[in-house]
Amino acid sequence: MRRTSALLLLAPSLAMGSDYQTAARKAGKWLDAQKLADSPNLYSGTSGVALYYLELYRATGDKAALTKLESIGDSLLAGAKSEKSQGLYSGSAGVGFVLTEIWKSTKQNRFRDGAVAIVDGIRATAQPANGGVAWGDSTDIISGVSGIGLYLLYAARELNLPAAKETAAQAGTALIARGKKTEHGIEWPMDSKFPRMMPNFSHGTAGVAYFLATLYQDTKRKEFLDASLAGARHLLSIADKENDRCEIYHHTPDGLDLYYLGWCHGPTGTARLFYQLYKTTNDKEWLTWFARSGNTLMNAGIPEKETPGFWNNVGQCCGSAGVGEFSLALYRITKDKKYLDFAKRLTANLLTRATADGDGLKWIHAEHRVQPANVQAQTGYMQGAAGIGVWLLRLDEAERGKPSALRFPDSPY
């Protein structure tokens, strides 16, 4: 069945861009029929799928969604002890985040107990490093110290575990020591072995600096803010700032002409640092760079045009759903309707790219830019129907004037 035929399954109003909840439910119909991934991780595993059912239950009160949510939550509890990675998107930190959110909605204490056990495990596996602590060599948001540290700060707040904040601070100390001075500030490598330097959010300086800014917000220790500002100054020194934009290349030394647009390596993710610095310092300069990141996207010709950094992908990590999330944040912060209109345009395009499967919807796309022929429909959050479904529910909430209750540890919105 052709992708565009999926719209025939939806209410006429959806094709006009209004009934986003209907499309989100159809994403859930497809998820209901799938065998879920064996991995519990947040990026592509069952933790991300749990968030879809959590948001559907929060938005609609659907008891079937609650039953599914608790079932997946119990599977996460059973599998958490065998998770070897501590990462936010790759391991136990992400599982702990999802268990905490399930507990907050269900009030079932077994989920809180599971999240607390994960925090204890993360703290117990921290190793001395550079005057602080670390979990392996990676510094980044997805699997490294920055993402794990953000989860610990989240856990300290949501689970009332002050010791988690102290461990996060020790992780911040180690990251400061690993920063490399540049002409205008500081940059951080993803790890000591990776041959390229990536400046943006998921694997680079923007993500590390975001964690340090959040750490300052929670601890008021000035060294964390100073390092975060130095990271941001470095990023601005290498950004393309012409035509009221703020766009930063993918990597050095051989990726200076490659510009991604999504959460992972583009302005969608890196703008999170600018907004967090605005919240932390109240300096409106950072709000300007946040808005200029939005201008970069709105003037790129997407979603109608694919670019080298915005390929056949509609997911949260690299594609339309993630850019839509950022556009909605811009609208809620600035109250400028052009951003909401852009989010709706992205979503209208996303819906035409859905494929009908039974009475559900799935999205077949390419996860990797360098593997354009490798296309598949995934279930998970960052590359699959779960994340797209959550985006559709969030846009539905915005249409109805309701705020979203779900905030990731690495989000300032």
Side-chain angles (χ1 to χ4, degrees):
M1 189 175 290
R2 293 179 303 169
R3 288 179 175 177
T4 51
S5 64
L7 289 178
L8 298 176
L9 294 180
L10 309 176
S13 60
L14 180 59
M16 301 289 290
S18 59
D19 194 2
Y20 302 113
Q21 190 182 113
T22 299
R25 284 180 177 274
K26 289 187 176 294
K29 290 285 188 183
W30 184 74
L31 287 170
D32 290 342
Q34 305 309 303
K35 181 183 183 299
L36 299 183
D38 293 331
S39 171
N41 73 59
L42 181 56
Y43 192 93
S44 59
T46 50
S47 287
V49 177
L51 290 181
Y52 166 78
Y53 291 106
L54 174 65
E55 287 297 270
L56 183 62
Y57 173 63
R58 283 173 170 171
T60 66
D62 186 329
K63 296 299 185 183
L66 176 62
T67 299
K68 190 78 172 180
L69 173 66
E70 292 187 346
S71 174
I72 297 176
D74 286 331
S75 75
L76 293 176
L77 288 173
K81 291 181 181 178
S82 62
E83 182 59 57
K84 293 181 172 55
S85 166
Q86 295 88 6
L88 178 58
Y89 284 90
S90 65
S92 61
V95 178
F97 160 61
V98 172
L99 288 173
T100 304
E101 292 297 313
I102 296 174
W103 165 67
K104 286 163 60 178
S105 282
T106 66
K107 309 304 180 188
Q108 299 292 321
N109 283 332
R110 68 185 184 277
F111 298 120
R112 184 187 189 279
D113 293 343
V116 170
I118 285 174
V119 173
D120 291 342
I122 289 173
R123 295 186 64 240
T125 55
Q127 297 295 313
N130 298 293
V133 300
W135 298 265
D137 195 30
S138 175
T139 64
D140 73 4
I141 291 287
I142 285 186
S143 62
V145 172
S146 295
I148 297 166
L150 286 167
Y151 170 65
L152 291 173
L153 292 177
Y154 162 91
R157 294 189 302 268
E158 301 295 332
L159 298 171
N160 191 25
L161 299 174
K165 180 165 69 173
E166 179 52 39
T167 305
Q170 293 174 320
T173 297
L175 282 171
I176 291 174
R178 291 192 62 181
K180 299 181 180 299
K181 290 186 178 180
T182 68
E183 182 180 356
H184 297 281
I186 298 175
E187 63 180 351
W188 282 267
M190 181 178 72
D191 63 47
S192 60
K193 303 178 189 68
F194 194 72
R196 300 176 179 89
M197 191 71 78
M198 296 180 289
N200 287 289
F201 192 75
S202 67
H203 293 304
T205 295
V208 177
Y210 178 87
F211 166 52
L212 294 171
T214 308
L215 196 50
Y216 169 74
Q217 189 176 45
D218 286 11
T219 66
K220 303 307 178 190
R221 287 173 52 177
K222 189 172 181 294
E223 69 267 28
F224 298 134
L225 178 60
D226 289 345
S228 178
L229 288 168
R233 285 195 296 271
H234 166 71
L235 292 172
L236 291 181
S237 76
I238 63 173
D240 183 341
K241 299 185 280 288
E242 292 187 5
N243 300 319
D244 205 28
R245 294 158 54 239
C246 184
E247 188 172 21
I248 301 169
Y249 53 73
H250 186 275
H251 67 268
T252 60
D254 54 344
L256 297 175
D257 296 323
L258 177 61
Y259 290 87
Y260 276 32
L261 297 180
W263 170 88
C264 50
H265 294 285
T268 296
T270 297
R272 294 183 175 200
L273 168 62
F274 301 141
Y275 188 64
Q276 183 70 338
L277 285 173
Y278 166 67
K279 286 173 56 180
T280 302
T281 66
N282 205 33
D283 184 341
K284 290 187 177 178
E285 176 192 3
W286 300 114
L287 196 60
T288 298
W289 293 115
F290 173 70
R292 288 180 68 159
S293 300
N295 293 342
T296 302
L297 294 165
M298 292 188 66
N299 296 329
I302 63 171
E304 296 80 11
K305 181 179 83 170
E306 288 189 2
T307 74
F310 191 79
W311 59 97
N312 175 26
N313 187 289
V314 292
Q316 287 276 357
C317 178
C318 318
S320 302
V323 177
E325 295 263 16
F326 176 43
S327 303
L328 182 58
L330 279 159
Y331 167 67
R332 283 180 160 154
I333 290 162
T334 67
K335 311 303 181 187
D336 190 330
K337 192 171 178 293
K338 70 180 181 183
Y339 297 119
L340 181 60
D341 291 341
F342 183 52
K344 290 180 179 180
R345 200 172 94 226
L346 286 160
T347 306
N349 179 271
L350 180 153
L351 290 171
T352 67
R353 297 174 68 175
T355 297
D357 189 340
D359 57 355
L361 290 177
K362 62 185 179 181
W363 284 264
I364 301 170
H365 64 182
E367 177 176 351
H368 303 289
R369 174 185 61 85
V370 295
Q371 299 176 25
N374 181 10
V375 296
Q376 58 182 312
Q378 297 189 44
T379 59
Y381 191 86
M382 293 302 277
Q383 295 287 354
I388 293 169
V390 169
W391 161 239
L392 293 167
L393 289 168
R394 283 205 181 119
L395 189 54
D396 174 69
E397 288 171 333
E399 287 281 86
R400 294 184 289 118
K402 294 182 63 177
S404 174
L406 182 65
R407 178 180 168 190
F408 276 58
D410 63 318
S411 174
Y413 311 129

